[in-house]
Amino acid sequence: MKILVTGGLGFIGSHTVVELQNEGFEVVIIDNCSNSSTEVLKGITKITGQEPVLEIFDLREKEKVQDFFKRHTNIKGVIHFAASKAVGESVEKPLLYYENNITTLVYLLQQLQEQEAANFIFSSSCTVYGQADELPITENAPVKAAESPYGNTKQIGEEIIQDTCKVTPNVKAISLRYFNPIGAHPSAKIGELPLGVPQNLIPFITQTAIGLREQLSVFGDDYPTSDGTCIRDYIHVVDLAKAHVVALQRLLQDKNTSNYEVFNVGTGTGSTVLEVITSFEQVSQQKLNYKIVGRRDGDVIAAYADTTKANQELGWKAKSGLEDSLDSAWKWEQKVRQTK
């Protein structure tokens, strides 16, 4: 069964491709390599023993999207990762985010509307909740005005999918609202490797520990938390990848209760930035050079998931804890630098 994974060379996408292939799916990847590398394809192939089909183009080019679906008429499901994803950058470059994250989604859905049956998994985010009134956050929490253009693109994306499903019964979709993916595949053959300066905490931590970055900035220590730093729910990327596979299987097996559903994907445990730093230092035996700086625009105080719905309806639960996730990220970082 053929599945399209957009952004399949990216961090979460590549791990999901591995889990899909482990379950016997045939995978086709579309990626423009703007924040990834074709080297990732080699890692996927080494892990699974099979090389997914890769097409390199930008989903903002409508004609190429149309051409792809004309050539691949037997796509049974689409998992859509391709998007810009950094909160801070989105504040600085909002139009880039609206173009890249919204236009591409519309072009994909237009093609799926023309199919007899289409199954769609959307890479959404806990950012749709903003600063939630209650913790942990359930799927029933109100979607608040976004704190960043990135978060807004996820809100708008969900609304576009929901509106499409209302008028197109043949399109079934699930939005997975996930929290903070970290870690790497246990084989250390694929992991998070952003091009340029990392926008996320964990790769900046590992790059600082390995000596690539001089200093780690902690954005704010005056939040109303136990140590003044932000709280996030850090989920191992392999656990997250497996959630995409079980969500897809739910659609393929027609077990969904409506043609549009939403699930939180996280661990259910929140950790402060300083707790993450301390845990990493213990796991890696490395002392991190970090500095407290001012708050960053777009950051909420705390966000961690209530995953009851995913546990019960998808039969999915995160298995790895924070230390295991950080350990795999550190092993990946060490391997990457050894080979460069």
Side-chain angles (χ1 to χ4, degrees):
M1 187 177 292
K2 187 183 288 187
I3 306 300
L4 167 62
V5 180
T6 72
L9 295 183
F11 176 41
I12 307 169
S14 60
H15 287 82
T16 302
V17 170
V18 166
E19 297 305 321
L20 285 167
Q21 292 191 158
N22 285 344
E23 290 296 317
F25 290 101
E26 179 186 354
V27 178
V28 180
I29 295 170
I30 296 175
D31 203 301
N32 69 358
C33 295
S34 63
N35 195 34
S36 59
S37 165
T38 54
E39 288 295 309
V40 177
L41 198 67
K42 297 178 183 178
I44 294 171
T45 305
K46 286 177 182 177
I47 294 169
T48 65
Q50 50 188 318
E51 183 175 333
V53 174
L54 171 63
E55 296 207 11
I56 301 175
F57 67 89
D58 196 314
L59 288 168
R60 288 175 291 184
E61 299 179 69
K62 186 173 185 178
E63 295 78 11
K64 291 188 177 180
V65 177
Q66 293 171 329
D67 176 68
F68 174 87
F69 280 93
K70 285 176 183 175
R71 292 183 289 105
H72 295 272
T73 57
N74 57 342
I75 297 287
K76 299 301 181 185
V78 176
I79 303 181
H80 181 42
F81 293 108
S84 300
K85 63 175 185 176
V87 169
E89 184 186 49
S90 77
V91 175
E92 298 169 3
K93 302 175 181 178
L95 292 181
L96 169 67
Y97 274 68
Y98 288 118
E99 179 191 25
N100 202 33
N101 295 7
I102 301 302
T103 304
T104 56
L105 173 63
V106 170
Y107 291 165
L108 284 170
L109 290 173
Q110 285 174 337
Q111 296 305 305
L112 295 184
Q113 273 191 316
E114 298 177 9
Q115 296 188 5
E116 270 187 40
N119 301 292
F120 189 78
I121 306 292
F122 181 56
S123 168
S124 192
S125 167
C126 65
T127 57
V128 302
Y129 298 117
Q131 182 55 66
D133 298 323
E134 296 182 7
L135 294 168
I137 303 169
T138 73
E139 289 84 354
N140 294 323
V143 172
K144 293 189 172 182
E147 298 282 342
S148 67
Y150 165 73
N152 202 26
T153 65
K154 293 303 181 183
Q155 290 184 12
I156 295 168
E158 286 196 13
E159 291 169 359
I160 290 170
I161 297 166
Q162 190 169 15
D163 288 343
T164 302
C165 289
K166 281 179 183 176
V167 297
T168 319
N170 59 300
V171 176
K172 295 185 296 180
I174 289 176
S175 288
L176 295 181
R177 293 173 176 168
Y178 35 86
F179 287 66
N180 290 62
I182 63 172
H185 194 270
S187 68
K189 289 183 169 61
I190 57 173
E192 188 168 13
L193 189 62
L195 302 182
V197 179
Q199 299 289 330
N200 296 324
L201 176 63
I202 304 307
F204 214 113
I205 283 177
T206 58
Q207 289 188 14
T208 302
I210 207 80
L212 193 62
R213 306 291 163 194
E214 183 179 345
Q215 190 175 67
L216 168 70
S217 293
V218 175
F219 297 103
D221 65 347
D222 59 347
Y223 289 96
T225 63
S226 60
D227 58 26
T229 61
C230 292
I231 294 173
R232 297 291 183 268
D233 185 338
Y234 295 94
I235 178 172
H236 196 296
V237 66
V238 174
D239 284 334
L240 178 56
K242 290 179 178 178
H244 288 81
V245 177
V246 297
L248 177 65
Q249 289 169 332
R250 178 177 176 85
L251 294 179
L252 293 170
Q253 295 164 8
D254 204 23
K255 291 183 178 179
N256 47 311
T257 54
S258 70
N259 70 330
Y260 180 70
E261 296 179 302
V262 172
F263 293 93
N264 283 342
V265 186
T267 66
T269 301
S271 303
T272 69
V273 175
L274 289 181
E275 285 171 343
V276 172
I277 289 172
T278 299
S279 183
F280 177 81
E281 289 180 334
Q282 291 171 346
V283 165
S284 66
Q285 297 299 300
Q286 302 290 315
K287 190 68 178 173
L288 280 174
N289 179 28
Y290 68 89
K291 180 183 179 181
I292 306 295
V293 298
R295 292 188 182 192
R296 181 174 57 180
D297 288 341
D299 279 339
V300 299
I301 301 166
Y304 54 95
D306 183 321
T307 60
T308 303
K309 185 179 178 184
N311 300 159
Q312 294 179 351
E313 296 189 29
L314 294 179
W316 170 92
K317 189 171 185 177
K319 294 181 179 179
S320 296
L322 180 62
E323 288 191 356
D324 288 339
S325 301
L326 292 172
D327 183 52
S328 65
W330 177 232
K331 287 175 179 173
W332 160 250
E333 185 72 53
Q334 290 174 297
K335 182 176 181 181
V336 168
R337 302 310 160 191
Q338 287 169 0
T339 58
K340 288 201 170 189

